[in-house]
Structures are given as structure tokens and as C-alpha cells.
Amino acid sequence: MTTGPRTPGRSAVVVGAGLAGLTAATGLAAHGFAVTVLEARERVGGRTHGIEAAPGVRIDAGAAYLGDRHTELHALAAELCLKTTPTTMLGASRFALTDADADADEQPATSDGRFPPLDAVALGDLFERLAELTDAVRPDAPWLTPDAERLDALTAAEWAERHLTHPDARLFFPLFLGEMCAADPADVSVLHLAFYLRSGGGLRYLNAFAGGAQQDRIAGGAHQVCERLAAPLGTAIRLGEPVRAVHQDDRSVTVHTDRGTYRAEVAVLALPPLLADAIEYRPALPQPRSGERTARGCAVKVHLVYPAPLWRDHGLSGWSVNARGPLLSTVDDSPEDGIGVLTGFVTGAEAHRFGALTPERQRAEAVDQARRLFPMLPEPQGVHITDWLADPYSRGCYAALLGPGDWTRIGPALTAPHRRVHWAGTETSTAFFGLMEGAVRSGRRVVAEVLARG
């Protein structure tokens, strides 16, 4: 990443060293800005995070997947000399879709493909209804969608109660919503649900591996994107400095941390809405970044590490969908050569329950369920649990969940600068909201905004 000559007087403070913040920081540096990046964590990466599963092998504890429509992320990865690897989905799937009151020892079903062994007509009706909502939403401005106020006042749980009559559709809907956006149906408005699906490329694209949004991973882990973006910035990145206040006047903006103050021409805040609202602003924000019903994305990610992807030897893909937790879905995230990594997703209300358990109990539940789904598995070599709900500097994952009233109240001011303060982050992108692609696009947008200030 090249940095151009500094232009006298041009300076920026970027808050947040995730994908959005570092995309903005490197973009501004390339146009001659003196840039300082303030990051609360002791690492860069935000909601991308690589953890060591085996010596020399890193896996994605956070955001992981990308598809062919994620053009900005693909271009950035290529610029940083990073390659992608396909998400392996060869083989049959496993489904444990009996309800919570059924016999816990009932054997999971094996099925070709990813379509669950539930009533096809009922699921077809569910997907048709979701497609109707998705097609009607305005992706560039969801608050201007026809009937937006009614759709934004209604939770997805209330919508399901009114429109889903078949037990199989009622069973599958919260599992689908948890997989798509790590949400409990009671936490999000129907407008947010429809927008999220439309923003991500539509129901089919967002839900697909081959040819869809989950087709590939960054070889070696998505965290490398941020690490390589950060490298040329060097000491301009200050780790372990949570921002407490942002004050501005007609000439500059001053960002306050516990360790010091940083003054610049502009500030870029690349933070989730709940974190942005925890900062003191002078003058005050004209509109909060979140609302009373804005919720944390409900995601806990579990990695079970084995000597090899042993399920493949039995004709299984590693993919499963389960009505009971903790692992509501699993996927094969094994590296191209070597160990086997079965990734489990704990989402929605189950993420809150699981997160309250002791680490020992969490491990036991995850291992026991994996063994029921895939009886050939031995005791795992490692179990890694990443609780994004409990992370104080993310406030959930994949992204913030916009609840009733949020889009119609907050949406119109989503990207509007507050004088010298500009906003980035995947939650500010109306394209690929909640995804890595959305974060990168938001960083690009902010660079254009700042340059347009003159």
C-alpha cells in the first residue's frame, strides 16, 4: 500500500482498526493525509480475528466468507497478495430437526444437498413470503420502502406468528434467521430482515456456498487483510486506546482517550452503532446511532479441531442444521491440507444461553453434540469458543440488529457526517450490510466524502 506526500494541514483520526477503519485510513494516507488510528483492542482486525488451531494454522474466529459479488473485498485481497480458497461442501448433510421436547437420543437424518428434510410445501411458502418482502424493500434507502413504518414496527417473530402456519415453517424460520444474520426473530424488525436479505444479494445468494456469498474464504484467514492494511501505517496505529470523547469546533476535531488527545482536521468513526453511542460528543449528535431496541448480533463461534476432516471419509460434508443447540449449524472450515476444523454456529437466543455457561460446560455440550451428528469423530484435539456477544469492543456479531423503529428513525442519518465526524463500518453500508464487503465499501465511501470536503 503506497502513501502519498503529506499535504500541510490535512490530517485525520480514525477510530477503529477493523476492515472499515483501516480501509479508510490507508485510503486517506494514500491521498496525503497524516493519519492516526485509535483501536480499543490490543490487535487490529475488529470482527475479523484469527486464532491458532494448530501450530502454524490460523482459523477465522470472526468473519470468514466471501463470494464473487464481493468485488471490493476481492480487489483488496488481490492488492494485498492474498488468495482465496473454496468452502468445501462435498458430501451429504446432517439434520437434527426434532423439536426441543422430542427424544434427545433420536438419530440425525442424512440427506443429499442442503435442503432440510421438512415439509417442502411449507418451506416453499416460507421462502416465497421472504422473497416478496425482500423484493419490495428499497436497498439504497430502506426507510423509503413502501409501507416502511408498518414493516419497521413489526418484529420478525410477530410476522412469523401471523403468516407461518405449518409447524415445519415455524421450526425452520428462527434457524434460518440465525444462520443469515445471527438474530433472534424477536430482536429485528421485518424491515431489517427484508433489507438484510436484499442488501446481501438476495435470499438465494446470501444462503449459498458455491456461487453464493459463502463460496470462498481468505486462505490463511480473513484477519490477514487487516494485518496487511495496518503494516504500512506502523506507529500511526495506537492499540489499547478506547475512545471516550469526540469534541469539535469550526477548525478541528479532538479525540480523547485515557492516554491522550488527538487533534485533526476530520475524524472517521468506524464503530458499531452501540459503541459509537457510548462516546461523548461535543456538540452532541443530532441523532443517536442506535435505538432502544437495537440489539447485539447474537453469535458465538465454536471450532472443533480434529486430526483430519474425518467426516469426508464417510461421505459427509460437515454441514448440519439443528433445532437444538448449542450448535445450530456446522460447516467444514478445514484448511486445504492438514487438520480438520468443524465450525459450529451458536446464534439467536441460544447464543445468550450458551454464553452464560461455564467454559467447561460449553466445551462438553459442543463436543457431545458434534459426536451425535458425526459419530465417527474422536475427542477433538482442540476446542475454541469465541463469544462475540460478550466482546466489549464489538457488541455482537455479525452486525448490529436493528429492531422495531430503528430504520425509519435512524436510517436517514446513517451516513450523514456530524460536522467534521464521518461514519464508517459495515452497519453504514446499504450494500452488503453486515458483511466484510460492506465494511470495505463503507471505508471507500468515507475517503470520497473527506476528499470532497476540499
Side-chain angles (χ1 to χ4, degrees):
M1 190 73 62
T2 58
T3 300
R6 291 184 178 179
T7 304
R10 306 232 74 182
S11 57
V13 175
V14 176
V15 181
L19 269 174
L22 290 173
T23 299
T26 54
L28 291 172
H31 283 90
F33 279 71
V35 174
T36 300
V37 181
L38 302 175
E39 169 55 49
R41 295 181 174 90
E42 295 293 344
R43 64 170 179 84
V44 302
R47 285 172 281 190
T48 64
H49 183 34
I51 58 175
E52 189 172 58
V57 179
R58 304 279 293 278
I59 54 176
D60 289 308
Y65 306 110
L66 67 159
D68 59 354
R69 298 185 194 176
H70 301 165
T71 54
E72 293 292 327
L73 181 57
H74 269 289
L76 181 57
E79 181 182 348
L80 297 171
C81 300
L82 292 170
K83 297 181 179 180
T84 61
T85 184
T87 306
T88 301
M89 286 297 292
L90 298 176
S93 302
R94 297 281 275 170
F95 296 94
L97 294 174
T98 52
D99 63 40
D101 296 324
D103 182 1
D105 294 326
E106 185 171 341
Q107 292 301 306
T110 302
S111 177
D112 292 333
R114 293 178 60 214
F115 197 84
L118 297 172
D119 187 277
V121 174
L123 293 195
D125 177 68
L126 166 62
F127 292 138
E128 285 180 9
R129 291 179 181 274
L130 289 174
E132 288 176 3
L133 290 171
T134 303
D135 291 343
V137 78
R138 248 189 83 164
D140 62 324
W143 55 92
L144 297 179
T145 296
D147 208 15
E149 289 195 8
R150 183 185 67 84
L151 294 172
D152 204 29
L154 190 68
T155 69
E158 292 167 337
W159 175 86
E161 183 67 25
R162 295 179 188 181
H163 296 285
L164 304 181
T165 58
H166 196 285
D168 283 3
R170 287 175 176 253
L171 172 71
F172 189 70
F173 178 63
L175 301 178
F176 173 80
L177 193 58
E179 180 193 343
M180 289 295 95
C181 55
D184 184 277
D187 285 339
V188 294
S189 73
V190 174
L191 185 61
H192 181 71
L193 166 61
F195 163 75
Y196 192 97
L197 295 175
R198 181 71 180 271
S199 170
L203 191 153
R204 290 182 181 275
Y205 184 78
L206 195 56
N207 189 42
F209 284 86
Q214 301 168 84
Q215 176 173 287
D216 296 310
R217 293 170 287 146
I218 302 291
H223 64 281
Q224 297 173 103
V225 178
C226 286
E227 290 177 351
R228 295 192 185 189
L229 282 172
L233 295 172
T235 58
I237 298 178
R238 313 293 175 88
L239 300 177
E241 290 209 46
V243 168
R244 308 301 183 189
V246 176
H247 300 165
Q248 55 181 318
D249 54 32
D250 292 338
R251 293 174 294 178
S252 65
V253 58
T254 304
V255 179
H256 299 262
T257 75
D258 293 340
R259 296 183 184 178
T261 59
Y262 301 87
R263 187 176 180 182
E265 178 187 349
V266 294
V268 175
L269 269 63
L271 299 174
L274 292 169
L275 287 178
D277 275 345
I279 294 171
E280 174 205 308
Y281 299 91
R282 295 184 190 172
L285 297 180
Q287 172 69 55
R289 305 295 295 168
S290 61
E292 292 182 0
R293 299 289 296 274
T294 306
R296 305 180 183 198
C298 304
V300 180
K301 207 167 181 181
V302 179
H303 293 94
L304 304 169
V305 182
Y306 300 95
L310 303 172
W311 46 89
R312 297 180 190 174
D313 296 337
H314 297 261
L316 299 173
S317 67
W319 173 258
S320 74
V321 177
N322 312 294
R324 289 175 301 208
L327 311 180
L328 298 179
S329 63
T330 63
V331 65
D332 183 346
D333 271 342
S334 306
E336 287 187 304
D337 297 306
I339 62 172
V341 177
L342 189 70
T343 299
F345 292 88
V346 190
T347 57
E350 180 64 10
H352 289 276
R353 184 200 70 83
F354 186 69
L357 301 177
T358 64
E360 293 77 17
R361 186 61 189 165
Q362 288 179 333
R363 186 187 192 282
E365 285 196 8
V367 171
D368 288 348
Q369 186 177 10
R371 189 175 288 120
R372 290 196 303 272
L373 289 167
F374 305 101
M376 76 292 300
L377 292 179
E379 186 73 11
Q381 295 176 339
V383 178
H384 305 274
I385 298 171
T386 308
D387 186 346
W388 289 100
L389 264 172
D391 189 311
Y393 299 124
S394 289
R395 298 287 184 94
C397 201
Y398 320 142
L401 304 176
L402 301 193
D406 279 348
W407 270 114
T408 49
R409 183 172 56 252
I410 300 168
L414 189 69
T415 60
H418 176 47
R419 300 178 66 175
R420 294 179 177 274
V421 173
H422 295 255
W423 308 102
T426 191
E427 287 96 346
T428 70
S429 179
T430 53
F432 302 102
F433 179 107
L435 305 181
M436 290 188 286
E437 177 72 7
V440 174
R441 292 192 183 205
S442 76
R444 304 275 195 229
R445 172 185 51 75
V446 162
V447 171
E449 284 179 2
V450 173
L451 294 177
R453 293 178 66 97

